[in-house]
């Protein structure tokens, strides 16, 4: 499998109250240094050699579109000059409403970015305020329209359900608005309350409430029905796409493929080894500037651990995990690693075989966490 490249841009306009990602508000002054350091890291990584061309590049964050046009252009030019990128490779960038305009979208498109992933989260202003997003629903719609005007034909939206103040009706409306905007891909995530976030405190003191389980179940039903009637099919637990628009970058993660990763806190997976960069952007810059390694952690996975990971990640995909590919890659079988566990999960109608693929059943998707816990 060909590798991917992930580029982490850790800057945000403000911190959303549910966010535990490696992202920071108020570091605008560091952006220029950070971009220069990323260009240096790029050259350092590429100098070690690249066995195969990149099949995808993904700019994530944070908010990559907070970088200036000049900074984005410089970073893209450095990546293109350092790495061999496959013809037609998917090159995505995450964009947040409130940080984009037509000129920025046109520059991104002209620089070779061919896929946009826009962090909308909701088309309801009260819900956006409850999670402290910096943009309005109207700004999100405008961002989508501008992206199309700039020539993007592969557009993805992130939406969240289970938000404070959200009802089944408002979820249906947000999904309906997204679908009416002619997008090709939707990532739909249920809100998770992360430790030590402002959201956790607000829920604990009762200033916000989350929808209950019955409402979440109703939202799931609405999602399934609207996706089916609008021609987007589920290809992963949280992801839906029109035919031909699945995200290849993320599919490479779920197939446990190799990926380079650069920037503060970025995690690469190469030759069976996971390498994590130092998380703080300022610390990252100081290390690069003084010619030191930015590596914070390195973990070599043994064959069985990597096999188990491939199974667990692969089961997130609706097509499941290819048993033939597993055997070719690891020279061991599911039975050798799991004994009778797979048969037991099949007997409980949680897993099934479809040709050479092992996959979650409909019931298995509902209880995916339980299944994964038995296979980890
Ligand atoms: S925009 Fe994204 S990365 Fe930034 S704070 Fe909000 S959720 Fe986190």
């Amino acid at each position: 499998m060909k590798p991917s490249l992930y580029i982490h841009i850790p800057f945000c306009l403000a911190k959303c109250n549910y966010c535990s990602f490696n992202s920071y508000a108020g570091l605008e002054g560091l952006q220029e240094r950070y971009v220069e350091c990323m260009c240096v890291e790029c050259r350092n990584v590429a100098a070690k050699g690249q066995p195969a061309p990149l099949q995808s590049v993904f700019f994530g964050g944070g908010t990559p579109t907070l970088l200036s046009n000049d900074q984005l252009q410089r970073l893209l030019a450095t990546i293109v000059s350092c790495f061999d990128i496959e013809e037609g490779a998917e090159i995505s960038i995450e964009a947040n409403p409130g940080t984009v305009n037509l000129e920025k979208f046109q520059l991104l498109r002209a620089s070779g970015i061919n896929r946009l992933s826009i962090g909308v989260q909701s088309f309801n202003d009260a819900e956006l305020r409850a999670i402290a997003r910096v943009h309005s629903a109207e700004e999100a719609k405008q961002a989508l329209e501008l992206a199309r005007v700039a020539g993007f034909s592969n557009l993805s939206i992130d939406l969240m359900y289970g938000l404070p103040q959200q009802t089944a009706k408002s979820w249906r409306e947000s999904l309906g608005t997204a679908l009416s905007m002619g997008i090709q891909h939707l990532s739909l995530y249920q809100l998770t309350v992360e430790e030590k976030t402002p959201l956790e405190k607000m829920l604990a003191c009762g200033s916000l409430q989350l929808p209950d389980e019955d409402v979440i179940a109703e939202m799931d039903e609405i999602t399934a029905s609207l996706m089916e009637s609008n021609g987007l099919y589920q290809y992963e637990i949280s992801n839906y796409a029109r035919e031909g628009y699945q995200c290849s970058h993320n599919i490479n993660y779920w197939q446990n493929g190799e990926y380079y990763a650069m920037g503060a806190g970025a995690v690469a997976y190469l030759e069976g080894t996971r390498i994590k960069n130092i998380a703080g952007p300022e610390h990252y810059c100081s290390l690069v500037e003084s010619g030191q390694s930015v590596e914070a952690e390195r973990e070599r996975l043994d064959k069985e651990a990597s096999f188990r990971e491939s199974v667990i990640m692969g089961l997130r995909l609706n097509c499941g995990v290819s048993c033939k590919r597993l055997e070719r890659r690891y020279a061991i079988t599911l039975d050798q690693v799991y004994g009778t566990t797979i048969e037991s999960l099949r007997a409980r109608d949680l897993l099934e075989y479809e040709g050479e693929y092992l996959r979650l059943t409909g019931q298995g998707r509902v209880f995916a966490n339980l299944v994964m816990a038995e296979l980890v």
Side-chain angles (χ1 to χ4, degrees):
M1 272 189 299
K2 291 175 181 148
S4 299
L5 167 64
Y6 175 74
I7 303 288
H8 190 69
I9 310 295
F11 309 108
C12 285
L13 269 182
K15 195 82 180 165
C16 306
N17 65 12
Y18 58 90
C19 179
S20 62
F21 300 142
N22 187 37
S23 65
Y24 306 82
L27 287 187
E28 295 77 10
L30 191 67
Q31 281 180 200
E32 179 56 30
R33 251 179 93 196
Y34 187 82
V35 168
E36 279 307 303
C37 289
M38 286 213 74
C39 292
V40 173
E41 193 192 2
C42 221
R43 290 190 281 271
N44 291 345
V45 171
K48 291 178 190 155
Q50 184 190 347
L54 299 177
Q55 56 131 332
S56 64
V57 180
F58 194 101
F59 291 78
T63 306
T65 45
L66 255 192
L67 295 184
S68 71
N69 291 355
D70 172 60
Q71 289 164 340
L72 281 165
Q73 241 170 345
R74 237 182 304 145
L75 195 47
L76 271 158
T78 305
I79 290 164
V80 170
S81 71
C82 288
F83 287 93
D84 182 12
I85 303 176
E86 196 175 46
E87 178 82 26
E90 178 189 275
I91 307 185
S92 306
I93 190 165
E94 287 180 341
N96 277 321
T99 64
V100 286
N101 54 30
L102 184 58
E103 193 195 347
K104 180 157 286 179
F105 279 147
Q106 284 170 331
L107 171 130
L108 293 171
R109 189 69 199 91
S111 307
I113 304 259
N114 51 27
R115 182 175 182 275
L116 267 186
S117 170
I118 303 189
V120 172
Q121 315 314 346
S122 167
F123 283 104
N124 179 299
D125 283 331
E127 291 166 17
L128 289 169
R129 278 194 298 274
I131 54 172
R133 296 288 295 182
V134 292
H135 59 87
S136 65
E138 194 48 43
E139 283 173 310
K141 286 185 207 161
Q142 281 165 8
L144 281 156
E145 273 156 20
L146 292 177
R148 238 195 321 268
V149 172
F152 281 100
S153 56
N154 188 352
L155 282 173
S156 176
I157 295 182
D158 285 4
L159 289 178
M160 293 172 82
Y161 62 102
L163 298 175
Q165 330 291 12
Q166 198 173 36
T167 62
K169 179 171 173 287
S170 71
W171 175 238
R172 182 187 288 281
E173 287 165 356
S174 272
L175 276 181
T177 305
L179 291 164
S180 73
M181 309 279 314
I183 41 105
Q184 288 72 35
H185 186 281
L186 266 174
S187 297
L188 307 177
Y189 301 109
Q190 183 176 353
L191 176 72
T192 47
V193 181
E194 303 288 348
E195 279 180 19
K196 299 191 181 116
T197 54
L199 179 66
E200 185 193 42
K201 288 192 197 112
M202 291 160 102
L203 293 168
C205 75
S207 63
L208 283 178
Q209 281 92 38
L210 297 181
D212 65 29
E213 275 179 25
D214 290 346
V215 176
I216 298 290
E218 203 182 331
M219 289 175 176
D220 284 334
E221 280 168 25
I222 290 169
T223 302
S225 137
L226 280 183
M227 292 301 114
E228 195 181 340
S229 57
N230 283 276
L232 274 84
Y233 78 95
Q234 185 179 25
Y235 69 98
E236 192 268 345
I237 288 176
S238 307
N239 286 279
Y240 299 77
R242 296 194 191 284
E243 194 58 50
Y245 286 95
Q246 304 97 318
C247 176
S248 342
H249 186 83
N250 285 339
I251 287 179
N252 185 44
Y253 286 146
W254 297 315
Q255 290 183 336
N256 210 10
E258 298 202 309
Y259 44 90
Y260 297 87
M262 282 181 271
V267 180
Y269 182 58
L270 295 164
E271 296 171 358
T273 303
R274 190 167 294 121
I275 305 148
K276 183 171 186 206
N277 279 357
I278 214 82
E282 170 87 49
H283 191 183
Y284 166 85
C285 289
S286 315
L287 290 171
V288 173
E289 286 161 350
S290 58
Q292 298 180 66
S293 164
V294 292
E295 198 176 305
E297 292 169 28
R298 173 175 282 255
E299 182 191 13
R300 169 110 198 135
L301 298 185
D302 66 27
K303 187 154 99 169
E304 187 178 321
S306 177
F307 183 97
R308 285 175 183 268
E309 233 173 49
S310 290
V311 171
I312 286 169
M313 304 283 282
L315 285 176
R316 291 189 61 92
L317 290 164
N318 276 32
C319 67
V321 57
S322 159
C323 302
K324 276 194 187 153
R325 203 181 299 153
L326 279 175
E327 283 186 39
R328 255 199 322 270
R329 182 169 170 184
Y330 295 100
I332 37 176
T333 64
L334 283 165
D335 288 348
Q336 283 171 304
V337 174
Y338 289 114
T340 56
T341 308
I342 300 284
E343 281 318 303
S344 155
L345 288 163
R346 282 180 69 201
R348 284 178 276 154
D349 192 27
L350 296 168
L351 285 180
E352 64 185 1
Y353 283 110
E354 172 74 32
E356 65 174 79
Y357 285 84
L358 177 72
R359 65 180 192 184
L360 291 169
T361 60
Q363 164 113 318
R365 272 201 285 280
V366 176
F367 297 105
N369 288 346
L370 288 178
V371 176
M372 306 305 185
E374 292 198 34
L375 298 175
V376 74

